[in-house]
Amino acid sequence: MKRLFVYLLIVSLCVSLCGCFLDPAEQLYAVPKQSDSFYNLQKKIEAVMAEGDAYSPPVNGENQQAVQMADLDGDKEDEAIVYLKTSGDKPLCICVFDKKEESYELAARIDGVGNAFDQVQYVKFDDRPGNEIVVGRRISDGVTQVLSVLTICDGTLIELLNTPYYEFITADLDADALRDVLLLHQDSDVQNGIAVYYHWVDGQAVRELEASLSTPVSAIKRIIAGKMCKGVPAVFVASTYNEGLIVTDIFGLRRGVFTNLSKTDETVKTVREYYVYSCDIDNDGLIELPKLIPMPTIDGEEGSSNQALIRWYNLLLSGHEQEKELTYHNYSDGWYLKIPEHWQDKIAVTGLTAFGGTGGCRFVDVKSGQTIFSIVSAANQNVAKNVGRDGWTQLTQKGEITYMAMLSEAAQLYSLDITTLREMFHLIRVDWNTGET
């Protein structure tokens, strides 16, 4: 796995301290000394930078450092990859420095057009030793970006692939232990976007027949890679579809042919203005798709309207659905419950106010109208410390937020105790790339 190289701004904690005879107390206060290779690399970078050149780190994705580390030549030692912006017709520059013992030397350099690096990944795309650089460049505002796959060979960065794109992701769709490139872009003569699949075959990058999206690329909200069902790797592209709907296109191989594996007419409504995305809800290594199940309402309770459970399922290659989980998601408070199957159609959910203003949810038995249990999330730690006096029990805590529950008499009708409720309760993970849940 690639290791990121943080330079200049962060003092390394893993270098030897000045002096060899400091006692333990003095070592606590000694100023760390950078390694010789650190200073050597810094000098070599400065040597290739002309006046006016500047560091230009990628603006998106996981790797947003100006200097990064990855093994590009397969020698088990990471090279330093530097992203710069220079002057001239090709201002975006990538420099690769190879480490020989404790000294770095410039191994390769490539210049390209554009005004910024979009994002970069390091993956094994071809069958030669080492990783390739998969990098996107922004050409100008309003113009399609350009994706390049670069490999280092005999001191030269060679471009294996150069193509326009709107979004891209790498994934091993053909299960050959190499990462493929799936990119999405828009042709001017068609309404919806297209997905294009590149992989390494017989010593070259091969483009397969493209597949269509259900929406224009401008509607894309989230892209993830995973397994659609057992043995079927795929890429899941979620996009907004008309007002308040989201559609998920699934791209992968069927009998060796790249295609859209999903039912393109399958859409999901939003849950109280929150998008519902596919995910591995049960942690079995497969990506589940969501389907909303409307819940019963409670007379006189406005908060019970438009509530829904989420049915999660795997889509099989045959087109059939394999049901997996039933959940209730509270996106605004960041938690969800796994709901037993036999509870469906028997429970309703409405709003709750506790502790003088803290919002929450009240789960109600539809037949009797009795409250089964209630859940609130409180940021006030003083409230959280005193909840035991009022019958509230802590479910879990995350940062400054404490999640609490209270069981009512109707909980006996569902054989529910606080231990079982804790097992049902989960926090919603936030996607690092989009900031959405």
Side-chain angles (χ1 to χ4, degrees):
M1 182 179 181
K2 60 184 177 292
R3 301 194 303 273
L4 303 179
F5 181 70
V6 181
Y7 70 103
L8 300 177
L9 302 179
I10 302 178
V11 177
S12 173
L13 297 180
C14 301
V15 295
S16 57
L17 299 176
C18 294
C20 300
F21 304 99
L22 297 178
D23 64 33
E26 291 174 320
Q27 291 180 18
L28 293 176
Y29 302 100
V31 177
K33 179 183 178 182
Q34 301 290 0
S35 65
D36 291 339
S37 62
F38 173 91
Y39 289 112
N40 174 264
L41 174 59
Q42 184 176 339
K43 291 179 180 178
K44 292 301 174 66
I45 294 173
E46 292 172 350
V48 303
M49 296 177 67
E51 184 177 353
D53 291 356
Y55 291 104
S56 182
V59 297
N60 287 315
E62 181 180 359
N63 303 317
Q64 296 188 25
Q65 300 78 23
V67 181
Q68 303 178 23
M69 302 295 286
D71 182 9
L72 302 182
D73 57 12
D75 64 354
K76 310 301 181 182
E77 180 117 20
D78 285 349
E79 283 70 51
I81 304 99
V82 184
Y83 295 87
L84 303 173
K85 190 169 185 179
T86 65
S87 58
D89 296 336
K90 296 181 177 181
L92 295 183
C93 173
I94 301 176
C95 294
V96 176
F97 293 85
D98 193 12
K99 186 179 181 182
K100 303 296 184 182
E101 295 181 353
E102 293 300 315
S103 177
Y104 281 91
E105 298 294 338
L106 179 64
R109 170 176 178 154
I110 191 169
D111 300 294
V113 297
N115 57 23
F117 290 105
D118 175 40
Q119 60 176 303
V120 63
Q121 297 181 21
Y122 305 98
V123 301
K124 191 170 180 58
F125 178 76
D126 64 22
D127 53 4
R128 292 171 292 222
N131 293 304
E132 279 63 58
I133 304 173
V134 184
V135 59
R137 291 174 284 118
R138 293 181 175 180
I139 305 305
S140 61
D141 294 339
V143 177
T144 303
Q145 303 169 127
V146 172
L147 178 78
S148 297
V149 177
L150 305 172
T151 190
I152 191 166
C153 181
D154 297 329
T156 303
L157 279 172
I158 299 174
E159 199 168 48
L160 302 177
L161 179 64
N162 182 289
T163 182
Y165 78 100
Y166 183 84
E167 297 280 359
F168 80 88
I169 189 171
T170 62
D172 184 7
L173 295 183
D174 54 7
D176 64 352
L178 301 177
R179 300 284 282 191
D180 313 316
V181 174
L182 186 144
L183 57 90
L184 307 166
H185 71 88
Q186 188 81 45
D187 282 344
S188 58
D189 56 346
V190 295
Q191 180 179 359
N192 293 338
I194 60 173
V196 183
Y197 170 57
Y198 290 90
H199 60 143
W200 191 257
V201 180
D202 296 332
Q204 62 182 338
V206 174
R207 170 178 172 156
E208 299 294 345
L209 291 176
E210 61 196 36
S212 295
L213 281 160
S214 299
T215 66
V217 293
S218 58
I220 294 173
K221 298 291 292 183
R222 177 177 292 185
I223 308 172
I224 61 171
K227 289 185 177 180
M228 184 180 80
C229 53
K230 188 175 181 180
V232 182
V235 170
F236 299 75
V237 182
S239 309
T240 54
Y241 186 82
N242 295 330
E243 186 175 356
L245 298 176
I246 192 161
V247 61
T248 301
D249 289 300
I250 308 174
F251 297 100
L253 302 180
R254 178 183 280 120
R255 294 184 291 276
V257 178
F258 178 69
T259 187
N260 189 332
L261 301 169
S262 61
K263 301 175 182 178
T264 55
D265 59 347
E266 184 85 3
T267 58
V268 179
K269 295 180 179 179
T270 56
V271 178
R272 292 182 175 270
E273 299 182 356
Y274 287 88
Y275 290 109
V276 184
Y277 296 108
S278 55
C279 67
D280 183 6
I281 193 69
D282 56 358
N283 297 314
D284 66 347
L286 306 179
I287 300 297
E288 282 76 43
L289 298 168
K291 180 181 296 184
L292 299 192
I293 309 296
M295 299 183 72
T297 59
I298 307 170
D299 291 340
E301 292 279 357
E302 184 178 351
S304 68
S305 62
N306 299 322
Q307 296 281 1
L309 298 175
I310 303 177
R311 168 73 63 191
W312 299 92
Y313 66 93
N314 293 131
L315 183 64
L316 307 180
L317 279 176
S318 63
H320 292 92
E321 299 175 2
Q322 182 177 356
E323 295 185 353
K324 301 293 285 293
E325 296 280 356
L326 186 67
T327 66
Y328 175 81
H329 273 60
N330 186 319
Y331 285 97
S332 59
D333 288 345
W335 57 266
Y336 72 94
L337 290 177
K338 291 188 175 182
I339 302 296
E341 292 289 336
H342 63 276
W343 285 21
Q344 184 179 335
D345 300 326
K346 295 182 179 180
I347 63 171
V349 176
T350 187
L352 168 72
T353 301
F355 314 126
T358 300
C361 292
R362 184 164 58 92
F363 291 75
V364 179
D365 176 64
V366 174
K367 185 176 180 179
S368 67
Q370 298 181 68
T371 299
I372 308 167
F373 62 93
S374 303
I375 295 178
V376 299
S377 57
N380 189 324
Q381 295 303 309
N382 292 327
V383 172
K385 291 177 181 179
N386 295 320
V387 293
R389 302 177 183 178
D390 301 319
W392 290 91
T393 302
Q394 179 174 316
L395 291 173
T396 190
Q397 188 172 1
K398 181 181 180 181
E400 298 180 354
I401 303 297
T402 301
Y403 298 88
M404 297 162 289
M406 177 191 291
L407 297 179
S408 301
E409 290 186 7
Q412 300 176 9
L413 301 174
Y414 292 80
S415 301
L416 181 66
D417 57 25
I418 195 64
T419 300
T420 303
L421 187 57
R422 282 197 182 102
E423 293 172 352
M424 294 166 55
F425 184 88
H426 300 270
L427 297 177
I428 298 174
R429 290 172 291 186
V430 177
D431 181 61
W432 68 267
N433 196 26
T434 65
E436 295 179 284
T437 54

